[in-house]
Amino acid sequence: MDKKMESSNFSRRDSEEAYLFNTGEHFFSYQFMGCHAEVNDGVKGFRFTVWAPNAKAIALVGDFCNWDQGIEMSLLETTGIWSIFTELAKEGDFYKYRVHQADDQIKLKIDPYGFEFELRPGEATVVKNLSQKKWQDSLWRARKKRNPIYQRPLNIYEVHAGSWKQDEFGKFLSFNQLADELIPYVKEMGYTHVEFLPLMEHPLDASWGYQLTGYYAISSRFGTLEEFMEFIDRCHQSNIGVLMDWVPGHFCKNDYGLAYFDGTPQFEYKYKNQAENIRWGTLNFNLGSPQVQSFLISNALFWLDYCHLDGIRVDAVSNMLYLDYDEGEWIPNEDGSNHNRAGVAFIQKLNTTIFNYQADSLMIAEESTAWEKVTAPVHLGGLGFNYKWNMGWMNDILRFFEMDPMYRPSHFEGVTFSFVYMFNEQFILPLSHDEVVHGKKSLMHKMPGDRYNQFANLRVLMAYLMSHPGKKLLFMGSEWGQFLEWKAESQLEWVDLADEMNGKMQLYTKRLNQIYQEHRAFWELDHTNQGIQILEANPHRSGILSFIRKGKKPRDFVLLICNFMPIQQEKFTIGVPFEGVYSELLNTEMLEFGGTWVTGQGDLKTMDGKKNDQPYSLELILPAMSILILKPKRISLVQKDKPKV
C-alpha cells in the first residue's frame, strides 16, 4: 500500500507552525507534531507529523497498512518536517515511522511526540488523539494563584509508583488504584504534595524512569494519560499537589527511539564526546538546537498546562551546566571555561517560558554543585528556577547522623554549616530516593546504636528536617523507619507496621507533619533571615543547638532545642524573647512516639535573667537524643530589653 500526500496539501498555518518549531519558539508544538485526529475534505482520519531534517524518505507503517512499506510521507518544503493524512488509521492502532536515513539505513522509529505506547516489551506508538478533560480542580488552582508557595507549607512525599505498593500478584498498581490508596494515605499523613519519579514512557523498569523514550506519553505500566489526569484531579480535590521528575538533559539511546533519528545527530549534540553520556549510558540532548528547545519546552508545558501538574523537578541540571560533568574527554570553551553555554541559555529560556505561561508552577532544580543563582531570576543573571534541592545540607546532615554520637561535638559543622548559606537560594531539603539505595542503606539503617537509639536518632533527624529553613521532601518508607534499603522491583515493607516501634514512628511522622502545617513559623518566612534566630550553637555544651523560627506576626514563633547526644540535660536553660508561659509543642522522646517519656513537662514559666541574648529564660529538662519544640501559650509582647539581632 503506497499513498503519497502532495506538499500542496500543506496549509499556510502548517508553514507558520513549522517556522515556530524550527526557530525554537513553538512552545505548544505537541498540538502540531505527532498524531492528531483530523477531518480532511470531509473525510475523518489522522494526521501524522514528524521532524527528520536529513532523512531521505519516511513512510508511516502500522496495523492499518503494510508494516514493511507503509504510506509514504511528504516533506514540507525545506522545513525538515514530514506529514501524512490517512483515513485508514483508527484509535488504538500501533504505528511507527519507517525512516530511510541519511546513511541509507532503514530503521523503524517511534513517534517522538507519541501520546501512548505499547506495553513493554513492545515499543510501538499507539494512535491516540488528545481528549479534552472536564477538570474539577478549579478551587485548587485558584488557591495556588492567591497563595504563593513561598509563604505556604511545602512538604513533599516522594514516590516511585512501581514500588510504593503492588497488587497481590506483585504487579504495579494502576493510576486508578493509586488514586484509591495513595491519595488517602498522603492526606492522612499530612503531606502537602506527592512527587513521582519519572512516569513518562521508558523501556527498562530498573532505570526508574530516568531513561526516557516517550516524553509525551505516560508509562503504559500504570495506565492511560486520561487516568493519570484523573489521578491529578482527585489529588487536587483532596488539597494535594502533584509534582513529577523530568529529564531534559539526556535520553535513552535505544535504537527505536530518538537516538540518531534521521541517521545524523538530530536530537543529540553533533560531537560524539558531547553527545555520549558515559556515566548513564544515554545521549545528551543538543540544548542549543532550536528544534530541541521547541520539543523540550513544549513537553514541560504539556505536563504543566495540559495535564495540570503543579511542578516538575528537573533532573541532573549539573549535567546540562558543565561540559566536563561526565566522564571522558571534553572540549572547553574558547576561553578555557567548562560552562555549557547552550545548556545555561536553554535552562534560562525554559524557566522564563514556563513562568510566562504557568506563573504558579514549581520549577525545582536537582543541581549538585555550587553554581550560583540557581533560583535567582533570569533578568538578574540567574537560572530562573524557584527552588533547588539543598544537596549540601543533605550530605552534611546524613554524615553527621551516621556518626557515633560521641564524635558529634567535634563535627558540629555538620548541622551548623548550612546556616552560612541557607538563604543563598530558595531551598528544598531532600531526603530522597538517592540516599536509600545502591548500598547507602535506609535512613533507619544509617542511624547508629541499637534499635531503640536508631529510632531516637531518626526522630531527631526528621524534626530537624522540619525545623530547618527550607521546604521539605521525604522518600516513601522513611516515614515509618523501614530498615531495608529501597528495592525498586518490589513494594515497600508494609509488614513493618505490624511492629510497634515502626507504627509509633509512622504516628510520629504524621504528628510532625501536622505541627509543620499548623504553625506559620515553620514556613511563612522560609526564605529570609527574618524567619530564624540562632540562640545557641555550641558543640562544647554537649552538642546542643537551639534557635527560634518566626512567622510574620510577633506571636507566631516556636523555640527549638536540639540535643544530638544521648545525655539528658537537667535544669537546662534557654533564652526566650517574651515574658510569660510556654508549653511543649513536641517532645520527640514521648512514649507514644517510641521514646521513654510518659508525660510532658507542662507549662513553663519564664524567669528573669538574660540568656542567649534574650531578656527572659526558661528552665527545663532536655531529654537525651531529642528535640523539644516550645510554643508561647500566654505571653506579653512587651519586651524588657530588646534582644540583639
Side-chain angles (χ1 to χ4, degrees), residues 401-437:
F401 269 88
E402 288 181 89
M403 198 178 296
D404 187 305
M406 70 177 292
Y407 299 114
R408 288 177 181 174
S410 300
H411 296 84
F412 214 54
E413 71 279 359
V415 291
T416 60
F417 182 66
S418 59
F419 293 146
V420 175
Y421 65 87
M422 60 185 166
F423 301 120
N424 289 1
E425 305 279 1
Q426 293 185 163
F427 284 120
I428 290 175
L429 309 179
L431 296 177
S432 75
H433 66 280
D434 280 329
E435 312 318 317
V436 295
V437 75

Side-chain angles (χ1 to χ4, degrees), residues 295-338:
F295 175 80
L296 289 173
I297 296 175
S298 293
N299 187 241
L301 282 169
F302 174 77
W303 297 110
L304 294 168
D305 180 71
Y306 180 76
C307 296
H308 286 208
L309 270 185
D310 298 286
I312 51 180
R313 192 218 71 166
V314 181
D315 182 64
V317 170
S318 303
N319 181 62
M320 297 187 280
L321 293 177
Y322 296 96
L323 296 170
D324 60 345
Y325 186 75
D326 193 22
E327 303 167 3
E329 296 181 1
W330 63 283
I331 301 173
N333 297 315
E334 62 276 6
D335 62 357
S337 63
N338 65 344

